[in-house]
Amino acid sequence: MRAPLSWLREYVELPAGETGRDVQAKLISAGLEVETVEQLGAGLKGPLVVGKVLTIEELEGFKKPIRFCTVDVGDANGTGEPQEIVCGARNFAVGDKVVVVLPGAVLPGDFQIAARKTYGKTSHGMICSGEELGMGDDGSHGIIVLPPEHEAGTDAIELLELVDEVLDIAVTPDRGYALSLRGVAREAAIAYGVSLRDPALIDVPAPNAFGYPVKVADPVGCDRFTARTVTGLDPEARSPIWLQRRLQKVGMRPISLAVDITNYVMFELGQPLHAYDRSRLDGPIGVRRALPGEKLTTLDDVERTLDPEDLVITDNSGAIGLAGVMGGANTEIAAPATDPETGAVSGTTEIVIEAAHFAPVAIARAARRHKLASEASKRFERGSDPLATSAAAQRAVDLLTGLAGGTADAGVTEVVSPSAPRTVSMAADHPDRVAGTEYGRETVVRRLQEIGCDVYGSDELIVTVPSWRPDLAFPNDLAEEVIRLEGYETLPSTLPRPPAGRGLTASQRLRRRVGRALAGAGYVEAPSYPFVGAEVFDHFGLDADDPRRRTVIVANPLSDTEPGLRTTLLPGLLATLRRNLGRGAHDLALFETGLVFRPTGDETVPPRLPVDRRPTDEEIARLQEALPGQPRRVGVVLSGARERAGWWGAGAPATWADAVEAGRTVAREAGVELIVRQDQHAPYHPGRCAALYAVVDGAETLVGNAGELHPRVTKALGLPERTCAMELDLDQVERAGGARPTGPRVSTFPVATQDVALVVDTAVPAADVERALREGAGELLESLRLFDIFTGEQIGEGRKSLAYALRFRAPDRTLTADETTAAREAAVAAAHASTGAVLRGA
Amino acid sequence: MSAPNKSYDPVEVEALKPEEIERMRDAALAAIAAAGDLDALAHVKTAHTGGASPLALANREIGALPPQAKAEAGKRVGQARGAVNKALAGRQAELEAERDARVLVEEAVDVTLPHDRRPAGARHPLTTLSERIEDIFVAMGYEVAEGPEVESEWFNFDALNISVDNPVRSEQDTFFVQGADGTEDSGVVLRTHTSGVQIRSLLDREPPVYVIAPGRVYRSDELDATHTPVFMQVELLAVDEGLTMADLKGTLDHMVVSLFGEGMKTRLRPNHFPFTEPSAEMDMVCYVCRGDSVGNPDRPCRTCSSEGWIELGGCGMVNPKVLVACGVDPRKYSGFAFGFGIERMLMFRHSVEDMRDIVEGDVRFTLPFGMEI
Ligand SMILES: [Zn+2]
């Protein structure tokens, strides 16, 4: 909402010298978001005067038509002689009144005016267009031609109200009344503690039976409809300068007197009006819901198919307007047209004014449905003042009769569905209790009265809210009014005392540890967008029925190629990896923790639950059933060197083993020992893929995978060969962990070390051999470590030798050589039994 | 060793003559002093103190002396050997010190060599900033609450008094999940704020409820320098008996002081949200210029555009309608809530100029933030 300060001053006596910025500050602290203060005519300096065109000489021989004019500027040039001016515009004739800027003046944009030679003549000034004067678009794109009554030499800066300040206010949806000068003025009056001259307080005639007939078939959608008729309008009448200027300042383009007047009244009072050409109306005006398939061509010349929920204005011919949103083309006010033969001007001479109140929701829905947000719908959907219709219609009638020579018809139509004033009861100290400070009853009552409420009662206040404040319905709404008018800045600053808390949950602490552990291990956290498309799963080489292909689909995705939500973290991580590589990075290790979205297949449409009570547990469960599974995952990707080469020696490339180790790093933070098994699982290399298991609730459960990506996958994704990845279900890992470790007894007896080299088939997983050794070695085994793997002729084709260091120790004694040997032999025997391992060289 | 011989005359034993012992001692001392390195000294040691050395041999002869002569001869030889051993130890220490000094010099390295063998890692500043904010409130007794990112409309909108006609429930603002049968009316959305978590908290717990809800949220905006369709939010909810707007203000003040340092404060400006009443926009003093840039064109501030204040987010007193929808009696309890975006906070707290740097995962952006923020 744009509010010119000059217009505002008409209703509020602001202190003299108060600037737009001052008013802005006051209004902001009262809760009107004045975003900017536009300085109209900033830097403008005269002389800028009304001129009368005396002669026009067309100059020939230039690329564009040029006129050499003499203009009477009265005494403004000091001599009274005609002013010689060269002008490129053509929309004026001898005798027209124009705006002339004389040498020495400065136009907006620091445009200095001086006499200058041009087109072979000397131009002593300029004939001005609206644009050059910073007046905004007047639609003419030519110079300004003024109504003939203005005297040559008159100061045009004042005449055109060129210097002004305009407040631009962002109005929140609850405060539709502020979409009018009347509403802004009310706030300004309160902010300055002065009285308001309410432009809606005007005399209106009582309704009678001989106004234009109106039948409201839907009193819910339209509870008030005022119709007034004005006849005998002069089709040639133009909007006066002051009217045009005010419309320009609020951002509207002057169009024709009748339309300008309806717009003017809308900005003044907040009541949208519609003007019908009475000669084009066929029978009574009606208000009803649209019929299925009904069509209407709106003023913007778009034919629209109406929805049965749309509220329409009708006459005998059918729909003539989309109520509260936009009128129809068939009853539009005719633009004045001049008969080329006779010179007679024809146009609309009889107008029916509509001033109605429509249900906000009906208008909001229609505007959205037809993607037609108009100045009218903007006001109706926020709730207009239902009691302003007759005053607004009267204002329009007054302006039409005053400016267009019309006669007000004595008929006054008012269709009203009776409604009682709305009251809210509120404890007098409620605002105090909401704010946490003491205003006192007197202040509360005064503030409520200032915004237009009637207040009764002592401890319990009965508050009748004003008709223009449909947003005031509950005690807190009233408390807000009191608090904002007293100033949010006066609120004290206190701290509540919550009950003692229990800190982060185990899961939250785990997530932080995992993040730190991975970052400590050289991984950089890289959260990615969760949007995916089918293509990445093709690149991953997933089977057609792979569950990861079944994604939650976004109905209105940002990109049509990525309508799904991730079912794995890898697509996002790999895309981030590629982006980094593309920017010249190498040796990358990234990680992400976040939710993935796994449809259960059993999702139901959730019930539409009420909000006037707590939902039952069963209802909450049904809301929950509508949602997909959303487990939390952690993933890593690696490419390039894990350890760089340097002066210290060779580096080490990132391998599948680093990926598996990342999984172990995560699990370790949860106190979980991962069980690693060989696996074949897209998008991993079939020979370099680990399945990661953990014991969850007593059962070995697959919790993730790690390994090197399949060469086809890296190629398809444009990634370096040997790119590695790991992904774990963090929720599952968390469930697998959590056991409180018992403090180990630290033995101080000496350790006995035994090395064994075991030969097994290449296909035997080292993990199996290790597990068997541990089991066989028994309690004396303190630790076991694989320190070498050997293959070669000595071992034999298809065989490998695994060398382990076993450390034995007893808690209570020094082990004898026999005990140690026996334990080692038991370990080897167990390995032999379960994996066929034999001692190397045996 | 020879057996004592009573008939033996010590004077006759050449090796035990005082001058002879002196000579042996002096020869040893001279050799020790002349030993140039530890190897040479080892040879000298063997030659002059070993079993076959003259002094050792002389010592052996003492036993052959008559008892009256033994003491004197023993004393003489003992003194000589003591002097030699002492000189030997002294020289040994000297030579070891020399060697150590030389070797340590030889072993010196260039400690300024870089050692970037294992590239460093880092956590994302959105995570660490969120944690930092969580910690402020956890320290006050709040719990950190979480909930699903794909959320039902009832939790995301209805329960928060956001009616079906509110424009935020349009495709311009909200991502809607397609229903199982391909319909758009699945009743499920990508949450547009973490307020659904507040509702869940109120349903899960009996008041008093003090929770902070950080998390990812979604709005259908295109990514540009100041917008991202996926962002992090922190929301706070407190529901208790007698909570006031002053408590809200104090809580906000405490937060900005904790995050930005002493002297920081907030400002509330009236605004409108369906889920709070009264509602406010919250600003904090610009922590860069502390307001000094206002009306001071010589010292403009880019962080706050010389406004002196930075807009943080929305807040207010929980709308009693929201409490009713959660089964909390608004006559007994009141509450306050606020929410803001972590990205924006990160941008002005750490002078990040482009949103894309925050969301694109470029390691060059993330690494400087390290482990905590
Ligand atoms: Zn600043």
Side-chain angles (χ1 to χ4, degrees):
Chain A
M1 171 71 195
R2 290 167 57 85
L5 208 54
S6 60
W7 195 349
L8 200 57
R9 283 181 183 276
E10 205 170 287
Y11 313 124
V12 198
E13 209 158 305
L14 298 174
E18 199 76 347
T19 66
R21 286 220 164 261
D22 299 335
V23 180
Q24 176 187 35
K26 283 270 193 185
L27 289 180
I28 284 179
S29 81
L32 273 190
E33 189 60 41
V34 183
E35 292 187 318
T36 56
V37 181
E38 195 181 325
Q39 307 290 332
L40 298 186
L44 177 65
K45 184 172 153 265
L48 187 73
V49 297
V50 176
K52 180 182 179 186
V53 180
L54 300 173
T55 64
I56 298 176
E57 180 193 341
E58 303 285 348
L59 300 180
E60 306 290 334
F62 299 105
K63 272 185 209 153
K64 55 177 188 170
I66 297 295
R67 290 172 155 188
F68 178 67
C69 313
T70 58
V71 185
D72 173 11
V73 293
D75 292 331
N77 57 3
T79 65
E81 294 297 312
Q83 196 79 2
E84 297 181 347
I85 297 175
V86 176
C87 182
R90 307 195 56 75
N91 63 320
F92 62 99
V94 169
D96 277 352
K97 296 285 176 59
V98 294
V99 181
V100 177
V101 60
L102 298 175
V106 182
L107 294 186
D110 202 22
F111 182 11
Q112 315 261 351
I113 304 299
R116 64 186 186 113
K117 283 214 169 353
T118 178
Y119 298 105
K121 301 276 186 187
T122 300
S123 186
H124 298 274
M126 214 169 80
I127 302 175
C128 299
S129 70
E131 238 159 294
E132 282 157 345
L133 299 178
M135 288 167 58
D137 182 12
D138 63 356
S140 71
H141 301 293
I143 57 127
I144 303 166
V145 178
L146 298 169
E149 62 268 23
H150 301 290
E151 289 289 322
T154 310
D155 178 15
I157 294 179
E158 203 172 312
L159 176 70
L160 296 175
E161 296 174 23
L162 291 177
V163 179
D164 202 348
E165 294 185 277
V166 181
L167 311 176
D168 196 348
I169 305 169
V171 176
T172 52
D174 58 325
R175 296 170 76 184
Y177 72 97
L179 289 172
S180 67
L181 264 299
R182 180 196 186 204
V184 177
R186 183 180 306 281
E187 290 297 333
I190 299 171
Y192 281 92
V194 298
S195 58
L196 168 75
R197 198 190 70 73
D198 186 347
L201 285 182
I202 52 174
D203 289 334
V204 292
N208 52 47
F210 36 93
Y212 198 91
V214 173
K215 290 182 176 140
V216 176
D218 189 334
V220 175
C222 173
D223 59 3
R224 199 171 274 263
F225 197 115
T226 301
R228 298 289 299 276
T229 306
V230 183
T231 58
L233 295 166
D234 173 5
E236 270 188 277
R238 292 172 55 194
S239 298
I241 288 173
W242 65 264
L243 178 56
Q244 294 196 31
R245 289 298 293 139
R246 285 193 169 177
L247 288 178
Q248 284 175 333
K249 288 174 188 176
V250 298
M252 298 297 281
R253 214 173 88 185
I255 293 170
S256 67
L257 181 55
V259 173
D260 290 352
I261 286 171
T262 59
N263 282 334
Y264 181 83
V265 174
M266 173 171 68
F267 276 91
E268 184 182 63
L269 300 179
Q271 169 66 51
L273 301 177
H274 192 73
Y276 300 92
D277 186 330
R278 192 171 84 164
S279 67
R280 301 172 78 180
L281 280 174
D282 176 8
I285 291 175
V287 184
R288 60 165 167 80
R289 300 283 167 164
L291 307 170
E294 192 169 5
K295 293 202 162 45
L296 169 70
T297 302
T298 39
L299 279 174
D300 52 1
D301 283 327
V302 177
E303 192 194 46
R304 297 168 190 279
T305 304
L306 301 174
D307 184 280
E309 247 196 89
D310 288 338
L311 207 54
V312 290
I313 310 295
T314 61
D315 67 2
N316 288 339
S317 69
I320 57 169
L322 190 53
V325 181
M326 191 175 276
N330 49 0
T331 53
E332 190 181 356
I333 305 286
T338 310
D339 189 309
E341 302 270 308
T342 63
V345 177
S346 65
T348 298
T349 58
E350 298 178 342
I351 281 179
V352 176
I353 297 285
E354 163 204 309
H357 180 256
F358 299 111
V361 167
I363 304 307
R365 290 186 184 170
R368 204 155 308 135
R369 198 153 33 225
H370 297 287
K371 297 193 168 54
L372 238 183
S374 63
E375 290 290 338
S377 70
K378 202 161 100 183
R379 286 167 175 77
F380 282 127
E381 68 176 74
R382 285 170 162 81
S384 61
D385 180 357
L387 299 191
T389 59
S390 30
Q394 183 62 43
R395 273 296 278 157
V397 168
D398 289 346
L399 289 167
L400 282 168
T401 53
L403 300 174
T407 309
D409 199 295
V412 176
T413 306
E414 282 209 9
V415 181
V416 177
S417 311
S419 62
R422 289 173 308 110
T423 62
V424 180
S425 80
M426 175 184 81
D429 66 349
H430 185 68
D432 296 14
R433 282 187 282 117
V434 171
T437 187
E438 210 165 302
Y439 300 123
R441 182 186 177 281
E442 199 183 317
T443 302
V444 168
V445 170
R446 175 171 54 84
R447 288 303 192 182
L448 291 176
Q449 285 168 340
E450 281 174 352
I451 61 164
C453 295
D454 288 327
V455 186
Y456 306 95
S458 55
D459 286 350
E460 189 70 15
L461 302 178
I462 307 297
V463 182
T464 305
V465 304
S467 54
W468 58 86
R469 293 300 302 268
D471 60 310
L472 303 180
F474 295 93
N476 271 37
D477 301 333
L478 300 178
E480 179 180 59
E481 295 298 307
V482 174
I483 298 168
R484 78 171 171 91
L485 293 176
E486 286 294 301
Y488 277 12
E489 69 278 5
T490 64
L491 286 169
S493 181
T494 55
L495 275 178
R497 309 201 55 175
R502 272 168 298 179
L504 297 175
T505 63
S507 159
Q508 288 156 354
R509 279 183 283 122
L510 170 62
R511 233 174 295 150
R512 290 188 179 193
R513 285 199 307 278
V514 165
R516 288 199 195 101
L518 287 174
Y523 291 85
V524 179
E525 188 173 17
S528 59
Y529 286 179
F531 306 118
V532 293
E535 195 187 26
V536 73
F537 296 130
D538 296 339
H539 290 329
F540 273 24
L542 301 194
D543 291 340
D545 60 350
D546 191 297
R548 283 171 289 177
R549 282 185 180 275
R550 229 177 57 222
T551 59
V552 172
I553 300 291
V554 175
N556 54 326
L558 281 184
S559 155
D560 289 335
T561 59
E562 292 188 329
L565 296 185
R566 64 188 180 193
T567 51
T568 148
L569 297 177
L570 296 187
L573 273 170
L574 292 171
T576 308
L577 184 72
R578 191 172 52 227
R579 184 176 303 126
N580 275 284
L581 291 164
R583 292 175 180 181
H586 40 81
D587 308 340
L588 286 162
L590 306 177
F591 82 98
E592 176 174 11
T593 56
L595 302 189
V596 301
F597 307 91
R598 306 299 291 254
T600 61
D602 300 327
E603 287 93 348
T604 50
V605 174
R608 293 264 173 229
L609 297 182
V611 292
D612 55 355
R613 60 164 172 83
R614 184 190 204 279
T616 64
D617 289 349
E618 192 242 354
E619 286 170 332
I620 294 171
R622 287 180 62 200
L623 290 178
Q624 210 57 31
E625 283 161 15
L627 304 181
Q630 301 177 52
R632 191 175 298 272
R633 296 275 184 91
V634 55
V636 310
V637 293
L638 302 113
S639 79
R642 180 74 170 125
E643 280 186 5
R644 296 190 187 116
W647 56 263
W648 52 81
T655 67
W656 60 269
D658 294 303
V660 175
E661 182 55 25
R664 289 201 176 96
T665 302
V666 171
R668 199 175 299 127
E669 294 303 326
V672 172
E673 189 74 34
L674 285 184
I675 302 156
V676 180
R677 299 226 170 85
Q678 202 77 29
D679 197 8
Q680 295 194 357
H681 185 67
Y684 294 99
H685 185 308
R688 298 182 173 190
C689 172
L692 308 175
Y693 289 82
V695 178
V696 181
D697 302 331
E700 266 189 26
T701 307
L702 180 68
V703 293
N705 282 95
E708 184 181 310
L709 294 184
H710 197 295
R712 273 206 308 269
V713 174
T714 53
K715 186 156 182 259
L717 293 174
L719 292 169
E721 284 176 15
R722 311 270 179 226
T723 296
C724 296
M726 184 284 294
E727 187 171 17
L728 270 183
D729 187 318
L730 202 51
D731 293 341
Q732 295 273 37
V733 170
E734 188 196 337
R735 284 174 62 201
R740 212 172 270 126
T742 43
R745 281 178 57 199
V746 177
S747 167
T748 53
F749 289 93
V751 66
T753 306
Q754 296 265 324
D755 291 352
V756 295
L758 294 172
V759 177
V760 292
D761 284 346
T762 312
V764 173
D768 291 1
V769 178
E770 180 175 326
R771 197 177 310 120
L773 284 173
R774 280 185 189 283
E775 279 166 17
E779 284 187 349
L780 294 178
L781 183 72
E782 183 179 78
S783 70
L784 173 157
R785 185 166 178 272
L786 174 70
F787 66 87
D788 196 20
I789 302 176
F790 183 78
T791 54
E793 270 174 37
Q794 302 95 311
I795 309 298
E797 182 98 353
R799 310 273 284 167
K800 63 184 173 189
S801 165
L802 305 171
Y804 291 91
L806 283 65
R807 287 159 62 87
F808 296 97
R809 191 166 358 217
D812 54 351
R813 64 188 189 282
T814 301
L815 290 176
T816 65
D818 287 351
E819 281 178 303
T820 310
T821 304
R824 186 198 67 185
E825 281 170 0
V828 171
H832 176 71
S834 75
T835 68
V838 291
L839 274 176
R840 189 173 168 192
Chain B
M1 189 171 282
S2 324
N5 183 345
K6 287 184 182 172
S7 63
Y8 200 76
D9 180 358
V11 184
E12 301 296 312
V13 181
E14 192 67 18
L16 291 174
K17 286 184 178 162
E19 55 275 27
E20 191 57 23
I21 290 170
E22 250 171 61
R23 192 191 57 75
M24 286 187 268
R25 184 198 67 194
D26 291 345
L29 293 179
I32 288 166
D37 56 32
L38 287 165
D39 281 348
L41 189 65
H43 285 293
V44 171
K45 186 179 179 185
T46 312
H48 293 277
T49 65
S53 65
L55 275 172
L57 293 174
N59 195 49
R60 220 174 286 158
E61 297 299 333
I62 293 174
L65 294 182
Q68 68 273 25
K70 270 185 186 171
E72 201 196 330
K75 189 180 167 198
R76 228 175 354 251
V77 174
Q79 279 173 346
R81 294 179 83 185
V84 170
N85 283 334
K86 192 177 166 206
L88 203 56
R91 184 64 183 151
Q92 177 83 22
E94 255 174 58
L95 288 173
E96 279 179 1
E98 270 174 34
R99 181 207 55 192
D100 287 354
R102 190 178 62 248
V103 167
L104 294 184
V105 165
E106 281 165 4
E107 282 180 2
V109 294
D110 177 2
V111 296
T112 70
L113 284 175
H115 195 80
D116 53 352
R117 192 167 188 162
R118 161 82 47 113
R123 305 177 74 208
H124 198 276
L126 285 180
T127 313
T128 48
L129 184 54
S130 174
E131 287 178 1
R132 174 101 192 232
I133 296 163
E134 290 162 26
D135 290 345
I136 293 168
F137 291 102
V138 166
M140 296 169 76
Y142 284 72
E143 287 176 62
V144 178
E146 292 168 304
E149 291 175 14
V150 174
E151 182 62 289
S152 71
E153 290 193 43
W154 191 84
F155 279 115
N156 195 71
F157 293 132
D158 299 77
L160 289 152
N161 190 37
I162 302 172
S163 73
V164 284
D165 292 303
N166 193 306
V168 303
R169 294 181 74 158
S170 75
E171 297 208 337
Q172 272 74 53
D173 289 300
T174 301
F175 288 114
F176 290 86
V177 167
Q178 202 169 71
D181 47 358
T183 57
E184 294 202 1
D185 198 19
S186 66
V188 175
V189 296
L190 307 196
R191 67 177 178 191
T192 57
H193 41 204
T194 59
S195 310
V197 177
Q198 304 188 6
I199 301 300
R200 288 171 178 276
S201 301
L202 282 176
L203 291 175
D204 286 351
R205 302 162 168 82
E206 289 289 319
V209 170
Y210 288 84
V211 293
I212 176 151
R216 255 189 168 187
V217 301
Y218 302 82
R219 307 253 171 106
S220 69
D221 283 323
E222 294 284 348
L223 174 64
D224 63 24
T226 52
H227 296 86
T228 163
V230 182
F231 59 101
M232 288 273 291
Q233 212 195 18
V234 167
E235 290 196 353
L236 175 142
L237 171 75
V239 172
D240 203 344
E241 288 182 51
L243 290 183
T244 67
M245 257 181 118
D247 292 332
L248 165 63
K249 174 91 168 73
T251 303
L252 289 170
D253 285 340
H254 176 75
M255 179 182 75
V256 297
V257 167
S258 302
L259 275 176
F260 293 92
E262 286 303 325
M264 294 301 299
K265 58 180 181 177
T266 58
R267 170 179 83 172
L268 300 182
R269 284 177 294 122
N271 202 331
H272 171 76
F273 307 110
F275 30 86
T276 46
E277 187 71 38
S279 302
E281 200 70 39
M282 51 183 181
D283 301 337
M284 58 171 249
V285 167
C286 172
Y287 80 105
V288 174
C289 69
R290 306 257 168 166
D292 288 347
S293 65
V294 180
N296 197 348
D298 299 341
R299 293 169 56 196
C301 176
R302 291 176 67 187
T303 304
C304 66
S305 311
S306 300
E307 302 264 329
W309 294 91
I310 298 171
E311 202 173 306
L312 267 187
C315 62
M317 300 305 290
V318 178
N319 193 321
K321 290 181 192 173
V322 174
L323 296 179
V324 168
C326 298
V328 175
D329 183 356
R331 284 163 303 182
K332 185 171 179 199
Y333 294 104
S334 59
F336 61 81
F338 65 73
F340 57 85
I342 308 276
E343 279 79 358
R344 249 185 71 73
M345 167 100 54
L346 182 66
M347 286 177 94
F348 59 73
R349 191 170 185 261
H350 296 270
S351 308
V352 179
E353 287 178 5
D354 197 317
M355 181 69 82
R356 285 167 289 215
D357 290 334
I358 299 177
V359 305
E360 283 179 347
D362 194 311
V363 296
R364 293 170 298 171
F365 174 79
T366 307
L367 277 168
F369 290 100
M371 289 290 203
E372 283 203 1
I373 199 165

